[in-house]
Amino acid sequence: MKKCYDVAVIGGGPAGATFARELSRKHPQMAIALIDGKPKTGGKVCGGLLAPDAQKVLAQFDLDLPKEILADPQIFDVKTMDLQSGIVRNYQRHYLNMDRAAFDRWLLSLLPAQVDVIVGRCTQITSGQDGFCIQTDGEPTKIYAKYLVGADGASSIVRRQFFRPCKKKYIAIQEHFADQIVGAPSYSCVYDPKTSDTCSWIIRKDGKLIFGGAFHIKDGRQAYEKQKARLEARLGHCFGESTKIEACLLTSPRSARDFVLGNDGVFLIGEAAGFISASSFEGISSAFLSGKYLADAFSEDPKRTLQKYKKSTRKLRMKLLLKIFKMRILCCPMLRYIIMKSGMCSIEKYEKSEE
Ligand SMILES: Cc1cc2nc3c(=O)[nH]c(=O)nc-3n(C[C@H](O)[C@H](O)[C@H](O)COP(=O)(O)OP(=O)(O)OC[C@H]3O[C@@H](n4cnc5c(N)ncnc54)[C@H](O)[C@@H]3O)c2cc1C
């Protein structure tokens, strides 16, 4: 039987889940399909830190986070290390440390029955006069919809097929280790211009130590291994036995042209639209907001939808442009040196007594 929907959403991350939930609330008569194919390795490759901006949007949605989603430990600061200059500073942070796969499952669990969640990866999209035909490797294999929403993240098939890609992409690599290093900081941010022009991170999470970073796609794995060795030399210990290594693409917008909202009945939200912070790679808050804004703007007139969506995302796009500027400052070794050397905004750690 031919299955036809008003709207098909590709991708069930924070952007897709938020959009589908909000659209169904605003238009209870609409038939909505959400097609999501999780990567074979499990959940999304992510640091799993919920930033204050994302917490604020959850508050605006009147959503409380179930405690099962939180990971151990909760963190209050980031230890920032510059491997080139050797400077180390601590900065206060207000993130929630969470299990990202559990977070995504929870967001999907909030969807009403009106949204058909289809498990499978979209492999091909064809557009015709009446809308779009979406082929999947799941069941059903063909889905028809009047409007298409790409919420499929950094390697978005929707963006690739219909729009100009975001110019700058990294390969993000994360490795998991058994957390056996006594006294290791719970959250670190690492700059090493010899191996990457952006930052890496170490996060303790539920008995694991996760080390990850973003590297140039061409020689990403070698750069990652080199940085890991340089970091281990600097820390004076090895990370130990690796239990898992994962990788995915990561978008890094460089100009306003990298933000693409849609056209002709196809819309983009979340990282697929280029909505991610270039300085910290925080993307959950932008995924929430763009999902909400598109749902609010949605009407049977795609031109009007686009107009309204453009207007409502103006502030978000401005904020993300400022993050590009911030990234240029933080990723410039000389400017970073001056900022870190000055101790500006850093916190002092009290001495610990020897046990
Ligand atoms: C290594 C790393 C660490 C990060 N750490 C953080 C962090 O700590 N905090 C933070 O706020 N942000 C972080 N981010 C950014 C954040 O993960 C993303 O910006 C955010 O998840 C974007 O949400 P989204 O819904 O747009 O896309 P995604 O979360 O990527 O969701 C896209 C969904 O679409 C599905 N999909 C993709 N292609 C297809 C297809 N062809 N067919 C069907 N389904 C498909 C995917 O399986 C996925 O479920 C990190 C990113 C990376 C790569």
Side-chain angles (χ1 to χ4, degrees):
M1 200 181 69
K2 193 170 159 178
K3 193 88 179 147
C4 293
Y5 292 91
D6 294 303
V7 183
V9 188
I10 317 284
T18 302
F19 170 74
R21 190 183 72 240
E22 288 297 301
L23 189 71
S24 61
R25 193 178 59 76
K26 291 206 80 160
H27 301 274
Q29 79 293 350
M30 263 192 186
I32 305 164
L34 184 142
I35 304 152
D36 189 58
K38 292 277 172 240
K40 291 200 172 62
T41 47
K44 161 95 185 164
V45 183
C46 181
L49 298 178
L50 195 71
D53 281 354
Q55 296 170 30
K56 182 179 164 192
V57 188
L58 286 180
Q60 289 173 303
F61 282 134
D62 206 11
L63 287 172
D64 299 327
L65 202 65
K67 79 172 188 328
E68 295 72 35
I69 289 165
L70 294 179
D72 182 54
Q74 288 307 313
I75 53 182
F76 304 114
D77 69 326
V78 57
K79 178 177 179 163
T80 302
M81 298 182 254
D82 188 326
L83 296 191
Q84 182 168 281
S85 66
I87 304 180
V88 177
R89 293 279 182 208
N90 296 284
Y91 298 93
Q92 192 178 5
R93 285 292 177 269
H94 303 276
Y95 298 139
L96 289 177
N97 191 8
M98 55 172 198
D99 174 342
R100 174 64 201 263
F103 180 68
D104 282 6
R105 281 196 299 273
W106 170 66
L107 289 172
L108 288 176
S109 78
L110 303 174
L111 291 176
Q114 182 195 345
V115 180
D116 274 355
V117 178
I118 295 160
V119 180
R121 287 193 86 73
C122 160
T123 51
Q124 205 183 326
I125 306 161
T126 42
S127 53
Q129 270 198 332
D130 299 333
F132 302 90
C133 170
I134 299 136
Q135 291 195 30
T136 78
D137 62 5
E139 209 36 69
T141 52
K142 273 189 183 170
I143 293 148
Y144 297 85
K146 251 198 288 193
Y147 304 110
L148 182 66
V149 174
D152 44 349
S155 49
S156 169
I157 187 172
V158 182
R159 178 142 182 184
R160 258 183 289 141
Q161 184 154 342
F162 296 96
F163 307 103
R164 175 182 175 275
C166 187
K167 264 201 172 158
K168 182 74 187 173
K169 292 244 167 95
Y170 290 103
I171 178 156
I173 302 177
Q174 275 199 161
E175 194 164 1
H176 297 228
F177 304 89
D179 182 6
Q180 290 161 336
I181 303 164
V182 181
S186 298
Y187 176 35
S188 300
C189 172
V190 181
Y191 287 97
D192 180 27
K194 279 216 156 65
T195 49
S196 169
D197 59 11
T198 181
C199 62
S200 298
W201 52 89
I202 308 169
I203 305 169
R204 282 171 61 208
K205 207 180 279 281
D206 288 334
K208 288 171 296 182
L209 198 75
I210 299 172
F211 169 53
F215 303 90
H216 290 302
I217 293 176
K218 207 169 133 226
D219 57 355
R221 185 63 197 255
Q222 288 110 293
Y224 168 78
E225 292 299 342
K226 197 171 161 192
Q227 186 177 102
K228 188 170 75 173
R230 282 168 56 77
L231 186 56
E232 285 176 332
R234 165 76 213 219
L235 296 171
H237 54 70
C238 290
F239 282 117
E241 195 197 328
S242 165
T243 55
K244 180 165 117 179
I245 187 153
E246 52 192 357
C248 71
L249 284 180
L250 177 58
T251 305
S252 185
R254 287 295 191 265
S255 75
R257 290 190 70 206
D258 283 332
F259 306 132
V260 175
L261 304 180
N263 218 345
D264 297 332
V266 187
F267 303 97
L268 296 175
I269 51 176
E271 205 176 323
F275 293 152
I276 182 167
S277 160
S279 60
S280 66
F281 300 125
E282 192 279 325
I284 295 175
S285 64
S286 304
F288 283 161
L289 283 174
S290 53
K292 161 81 176 149
Y293 293 151
L294 182 62
D296 285 349
F298 221 87
S299 72
E300 283 291 337
D301 176 357
K303 279 207 171 79
R304 206 172 125 73
T305 302
L306 187 61
Q307 239 175 26
K308 282 180 84 177
Y309 182 43
K310 228 178 217 168
K311 196 168 167 206
S312 55
T313 51
R314 197 172 291 152
K315 216 167 125 188
L316 174 64
R317 284 179 283 135
M318 276 307 295
K319 187 182 104 176
L320 295 175
L321 282 176
L322 287 176
K323 299 284 182 187
I324 297 172
F325 180 65
K326 185 175 175 190
M327 174 273 295
R328 293 201 196 285
I329 293 173
L330 291 181
C331 293
C332 166
M334 176 57 92
L335 294 175
R336 186 172 60 242
Y337 175 81
I338 294 169
I339 293 167
M340 288 183 73
K341 188 81 184 158
S342 75
M344 187 168 57
C345 301
S346 68
I347 54 169
E348 291 293 326
K349 291 262 181 176
Y350 297 136
E351 268 179 37
K352 275 188 194 165
S353 53
E354 296 282 322
E355 290 285 299

